[in-house]
Amino acid sequence: MTIQWFPGHMTAARKEAAKALALNDVVIEVCDARLPEASSNPMIRELRLHRQRPCLKLLNKADLADPAATQAWLDFYNRQPNVKAAAISCKKPGDAARVPALCKTLAPHRNDTFKPLRMLIMGIPNVGKSTLMNALLKRRVAAVGDEPAVTKMQMSADLSPTMTLTDTPGLMWPKIAHDSDGFMLAASHAIGRNAVIDSEVGIFLAGLLLQRYPALLAARYKIEVDGLDGVAAVEAIAKKRGCITKGRHAGELDLEKAAMILLTDYRGGKLGRISLETPDSRAAMLATEKSKSGD
Ligand code: G4P
């Protein structure tokens, strides 16, 4: 599955983001702690490196991610120049409050009313940018929603006399280079329902869970997972949950419905704390792709 996705508002959003970067001191890049690299837009990195802006990399939704994988990602990002990484769950009261102090350390010279610290929230859709903005401002200014790209306009607010905060619309990029990134993004709902086929995404997720968290899959659906592949696991879920098609092909296993059950459970954290990638799994994926392309 190659995902190519560049609706008109994403092009406009890129231009807006480039302008906003010029006017801000620190980029707060929000990504999904369960898939930090797959949910990092390479265009954001390119824009911020071009402007030489320091970055606070926020691994958000850490409450849903595997803590060991999150720690490995924090170490990975904290080794990068001009980057500080933190894991948060901006739905938890108080977690977001750590963010301004972390940003201050990245631009200590911006510290008074004449030179306020200007922070810019960036990230792909549905990683929690609006939730973060609302938590920091302690009021609801940005629409929060689990449908991708709910935030469409840029919003700015004063956090204090010496700090401003700007939220940007979710920014996707033209072509997702690695198929597995597309699947991980779809599983985590950063890519809209119209762009992907749920059964394919569910089968991918089941395959990944079989590799990394087989016990969680077995426990949630009370299925025997030994020897299964992704398709067989979704079939097993369909049987267990009575997902049977109606209409012309009545009586067959409804894999679409079973895949949706799995995806909804994963998205809501019902399976347990799961990370779809680690620095090691990502390095292995990149090495495999490189050897396949013969570089
Ligand atoms: P965006 O601006 O980046 O597009 O994302 P937004 O804040 O709209 O958040 C997208 C969904 O992710 C929302 O779910 C939000 O509640 C959820 N979310 C944000 N931060 C966290 C977090 O740290 N942990 C968890 N578990 N979820 C988070 P929703 O279902 O649409 O809304 P709600 O019913 O949860 O409020």
Side-chain angles (χ1 to χ4, degrees), residues 31-40 57-60 62 65-80 83-87 181 184 212-213 274-286:
C31 60
D32 188 321
R34 297 167 295 177
L35 52 150
E37 274 295 280
S39 63
S40 293
K57 190 103 183 169
L58 282 186
L59 310 190
N60 187 38
D66 178 340
T70 300
Q71 187 55 53
W73 282 116
L74 289 176
D75 297 342
F76 173 88
Y77 288 119
N78 279 322
R79 282 196 295 271
Q80 296 182 355
V83 173
K84 182 171 280 226
D181 285 355
M184 286 189 222
R212 296 177 45 76
Y213 302 97
I274 285 171
S275 292
L276 299 184
E277 58 173 358
T278 64
D280 287 347
S281 74
R282 184 141 196 110
M285 180 276 284
L286 293 176

Side-chain angles (χ1 to χ4, degrees), residues 91-113:
K91 268 188 151 179
K92 271 194 210 148
D95 239 19
R98 292 165 51 210
V99 169
L102 289 166
C103 287
K104 263 190 194 172
T105 64
L106 287 163
H109 58 290
R110 304 286 315 188
N111 59 1
D112 59 34
T113 47

Side-chain angles (χ1 to χ4, degrees), residues 92-278:
K92 271 194 210 148
D95 239 19
R98 292 165 51 210
V99 169
L102 289 166
C103 287
K104 263 190 194 172
T105 64
L106 287 163
H109 58 290
R110 304 286 315 188
N111 59 1
D112 59 34
T113 47
F114 298 107
K115 284 189 295 156
L117 177 65
R118 298 162 304 177
M119 298 167 284
L120 183 67
I121 301 177
M122 301 183 90
I124 68 168
N126 207 35
V127 286
K129 298 177 300 302
S130 309
T131 309
L132 174 67
M133 181 91 174
N134 291 336
L136 284 172
L137 296 172
K138 299 189 184 72
R139 59 180 198 265
R140 201 171 167 89
V141 290
V144 174
D146 198 29
E147 276 302 314
V150 162
T151 310
K152 296 240 171 79
M153 278 164 49
Q154 198 166 298
M155 264 177 278
S156 292
D158 290 336
L159 203 54
S160 76
T162 59
M163 283 188 219
T164 68
L165 192 63
T166 302
D167 185 19
T168 57
L171 192 61
M172 286 302 285
W173 62 107
K175 189 171 184 300
I176 296 168
H178 313 293
D179 285 357
S180 56
D181 285 355
F183 279 115
M184 286 189 222
L185 288 165
S188 310
H189 214 183
I191 293 173
R193 290 212 180 113
N194 303 334
V196 292
I197 302 163
D198 289 331
S199 57
E200 279 188 38
V201 179
I203 288 165
F204 167 86
L205 179 63
L208 193 148
L209 295 176
L210 284 169
Q211 275 172 28
R212 296 177 45 76
Y213 302 97
L216 295 182
L217 198 61
R220 174 75 188 167
Y221 302 108
K222 303 194 172 44
I223 53 173
E224 183 54 63
V225 293
D226 283 351
L228 297 188
D229 63 7
V231 178
V234 174
E235 282 173 357
I237 296 170
K239 276 185 206 148
K240 204 75 190 186
R241 294 292 175 93
C243 305
I244 306 294
T245 52
K246 297 194 181 88
R248 209 153 67 86
H249 299 289
E252 289 173 13
L253 287 178
D254 190 341
L255 296 192
E256 195 80 18
K257 194 168 171 190
M260 266 326 289
I261 291 175
L262 175 63
L263 290 170
T264 307
D265 283 351
Y266 159 72
R267 287 169 185 159
K270 298 275 165 52
L271 288 149
R273 296 180 72 174
I274 285 171
S275 292
L276 299 184
E277 58 173 358
T278 64

